[in-house]
Amino acid sequence: QVSYRETIRRKAEGIGRFIRQTGGKGQYGHVVMTLEPNAKAAGFEFVDKIVGGAIPREYMRAVEHGIRETVETGIYAGFPMVDVRAIVHDGSFHEVDSSEMAFKIAASMAVKDAVERADPTILEPMMRVEVTMPEQFMGDVIGDLNSRRGLVDGTEMRGTTTVVQAAVPLAEMFGYATDLRSMTQGRASYSMELSHYAEVPGNLAQELVAKSRVS
């Protein structure tokens, strides 16, 4: 199972308005926010820029929870969203009908509204892979890493063996041990660790989004 993530590539405004009128007390929550990309590996950041009591203090915790939960669940393809900043800067309330629940739902709606215009994308884990082998197998090993969407960073000699270093998407590394064994007559070994997250190519991103919408 590959742990994908989502993020956004540009800043966008989102509006969430939750109004429900029933027989007795209604529900009213209205949140206006901006969602923008945050620094790499900065995670999620919530900024409260409400002035003049547009949203009363007692509802801001519910607003933050609504945004945080939606971001953690994912919007674009159902993966947790990372490296985004949510700035709540406006909204409105109703003296009688406003509640924490109404503001939590309105905040969630505002995030979804913003993401649609914020150029969302999917990130995948990239692995730092190091393969050690006799030199005669280097061409085959590098060719195979390239076919797995890998980027070879360098090669070096260590005694009588050759070491190839590459960054390869985790999604392409399933079954690698078996393939490497057969490619090198069992004379190669490799190590693998998480390096960073990188954008998934467009065609693969579309497949992941389509899959999430079917499930």
Side-chain angles (χ1 to χ4, degrees):
Q1 189 70 23
V2 179
S3 55
Y4 293 101
R5 299 284 185 266
E6 298 178 10
T7 194
I8 55 169
R9 287 181 281 212
R10 66 165 170 251
K11 181 173 169 176
E13 188 173 86
I15 299 170
R17 194 179 264 109
F18 181 68
I19 302 168
R20 183 159 292 169
Q21 281 310 130
T22 47
K25 185 177 183 296
Q27 293 283 357
Y28 184 95
H30 171 217
V31 174
V32 183
M33 60 166 292
T34 300
L35 201 63
E36 62 185 27
N38 209 346
K40 271 203 169 93
F44 170 74
E45 187 185 344
F46 175 78
V47 182
D48 173 0
K49 283 209 171 164
I50 290 293
V51 289
I55 299 174
R57 289 289 100 209
E58 66 260 33
Y59 297 130
M60 285 310 291
R61 186 185 292 271
V63 168
E64 182 175 354
H65 281 179
I67 293 171
R68 214 173 262 282
E69 276 179 22
T70 309
V71 163
E72 283 166 9
T73 311
I75 298 145
Y76 182 47
F79 303 115
M81 187 164 267
V82 295
D83 305 340
V84 293
R85 183 185 290 112
I87 303 159
V88 177
H89 51 84
D90 202 4
S92 61
F93 70 103
H94 187 281
E95 289 286 358
V96 178
D97 292 347
S98 281
S99 67
E100 287 194 3
M101 183 52 72
F103 270 103
K104 187 176 175 184
I105 294 168
S108 175
M109 291 163 77
V111 181
K112 290 173 182 170
D113 185 46
V115 168
E116 281 182 20
R117 285 187 292 281
D119 197 10
T121 186
I122 299 173
L123 304 172
E124 64 181 342
M126 297 292 290
M127 310 308 286
R128 157 83 39 226
V129 178
E130 192 171 279
V131 189
T132 306
M133 78 219 93
E135 190 182 2
Q136 74 225 55
F137 300 114
M138 186 171 77
D140 289 344
V141 166
I142 288 177
D144 178 69
L145 290 170
N146 288 336
S147 76
R148 293 171 188 268
R149 296 193 285 125
L151 295 170
V152 174
D153 295 333
T155 61
E156 60 178 280
M157 292 296 294
R158 285 186 199 159
T160 57
T161 58
T162 300
V163 178
V164 173
Q165 285 133 354
V168 189
L170 177 59
E172 305 291 339
M173 288 300 289
F174 294 103
Y176 186 62
T178 308
D179 293 347
L180 184 64
R181 239 192 334 270
S182 59
M183 209 186 325
T184 61
Q185 299 160 19
R187 294 169 67 195
S189 63
Y190 79 102
S191 65
M192 179 169 79
E193 62 179 13
L194 179 65
S195 169
H196 61 284
Y197 274 82
E199 270 187 44
V200 171
N203 56 329
L204 287 175
Q206 283 164 5
E207 278 174 34
L208 290 165
V209 171
K211 260 189 217 163
S212 79
R213 297 197 173 154
V214 169
S215 57

